């Protein structure tokens, strides 16, 4: 049972344009959401997070949107850069952050 | 950000042997450490959660006798894959978190295990 789903395995975007990565979750107990970026043969690195009491969080080129009623969140990268090419994991934590569940990841290709 | 190291980065072993992977938090005290496994083109699968000084909590379907986890100090956790088989070949990643609650996890670089 996949509690965190990233239905797009890959996404290709032109440099300078917007990248939108989507994530859906099924467990209503999740109340903290995170995005991680991962390069091959490396561990994930934290990008941005959002609490369930918010619907938007912005950090530079990265913005995460949360739609609780739809159990959906998205990561927007504007403008996209070739260095953003990586696998992006959506993750969700239960109340208290005791456990974090990861989605399958979306591989982003940013073309120069 | 905080740094988490893993050693070794890559290991090849024979079937039936045991392999130990170390995870260290280098510049912070990790109250909690997590061990994940990643299959090719798949998500990070949480294997277990360990708190310093106590027994690890294993996820459903993960054999605790096969994957021994020790969190002996606030900066070190080890995962020992006992009697390894080829199906144990995978990418193992640890993460560490300071404090409780929603503090972000810092991930190690991962260990590629290949069992022949």
């Amino acid at each position: 049972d996949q509690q965190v789903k990233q239905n797009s395995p890959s996404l290709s975007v032109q440099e300078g344009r917007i990248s939108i990565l989507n994530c859906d979750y099924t467990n209503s107990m999740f109340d903290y959401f995170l995005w991680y970026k991962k390069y091959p043969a490396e561990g994930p690195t934290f990008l941005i997070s959002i609490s369930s009491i918010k619907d938007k969080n912005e950090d530079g080129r990265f913005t995460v949107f949360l739609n609780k009623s739809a159990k959906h969140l998205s990561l927007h990268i504007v403008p996209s850069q070739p260095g953003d090419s990586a696998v992006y994991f959506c993750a969700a934590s239960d109340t208290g952050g005791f456990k974090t569940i990861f989605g399958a990841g979306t591989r982003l290709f940013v073309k120069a | 950000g905080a740094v988490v190291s893993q050693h070794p980065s890559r290991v090849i072993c024979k079937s039936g042997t045991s392999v130990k992977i170390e995870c260290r938090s280098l510049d912070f005290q990790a109250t909690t450490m997590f061990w994940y496994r990643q299959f090719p083109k798949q998500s990070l699968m949480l294997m277990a959660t360990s708190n310093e000084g106590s027994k690890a909590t294993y996820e459903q379907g993960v054999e605790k006798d096969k994957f021994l986890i020790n969190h002996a100090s606030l900066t070190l956790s080890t995962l020992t894959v006992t009697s390894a088989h080829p199906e144990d070949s995978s990418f193992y990643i640890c993460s560490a978190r300071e404090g409780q609650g929603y503090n972000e996890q810092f991930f190690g670089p991962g260990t590629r295990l290949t069992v022949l």
Side-chain angles (χ1 to χ4, degrees), chain B:
Chain B
V3 180
V4 175
S5 69
Q6 267 183 256
H7 178 80
S9 59
R10 187 182 294 268
V11 57
I12 301 172
C13 69
K14 291 183 178 180
S15 187
T17 61
S18 294
V19 174
K20 180 184 284 189
I21 303 170
E22 290 187 350
C23 176
R24 293 182 186 272
S25 57
L26 298 185
D27 50 4
F28 67 101
Q29 293 188 322
T31 308
T32 307
M33 286 186 166
F34 304 87
W35 286 95
Y36 294 85
R37 181 174 178 178
Q38 186 183 24
F39 294 98
K41 297 183 180 180
Q42 292 190 31
S43 177
L44 300 170
M45 183 193 78
L46 178 64
M47 298 174 66
T49 302
S50 72
N51 292 294
E52 185 264 339
S54 60
K55 288 185 178 180
T57 301
Y58 289 81
E59 294 300 302
Q60 193 172 15
V62 178
E63 299 175 60
K64 64 175 83 173
D65 294 331
K66 177 152 189 71
F67 299 100
L68 301 178
I69 292 171
N70 186 311
H71 192 163
S73 75
L74 283 172
T75 60
L76 173 65
S77 176
T78 60
L79 167 67
T80 301
V81 183
T82 63
S83 187
H85 288 116
E87 57 264 32
D88 297 326
S89 298
S90 194
F91 193 58
Y92 292 87
I93 305 175
C94 75
S95 70
R97 185 174 69 189
E98 184 177 27
Q100 302 291 339
Y102 298 124
N103 293 334
E104 66 179 89
Q105 297 178 38
F106 297 97
F107 285 83
T111 296
R112 169 77 59 196
L113 170 63
T114 303
V115 184
L116 302 176

Side-chain angles (χ1 to χ4, degrees), chain A residues 2-3 6 23 37 39 43 55-56 60 71 78 100 107:
Chain A
Q2 279 186 290
Q3 297 186 64
Q6 291 177 259
C23 178
K37 177 179 179 180
Y39 293 113
D55 55 19
K56 177 183 176 181
K71 294 191 178 68
V78 182
T100 302
R107 184 175 296 277

Side-chain angles (χ1 to χ4, degrees), chain A residues 48-51 54-59 62-66:
Chain A
I48 192 168
S49 63
I50 187 167
S51 164
K54 295 185 176 182
D55 55 19
K56 177 183 176 181
N57 188 25
E58 192 171 350
D59 183 2
F62 303 91
T63 303
V64 56
F65 295 92
L66 175 63

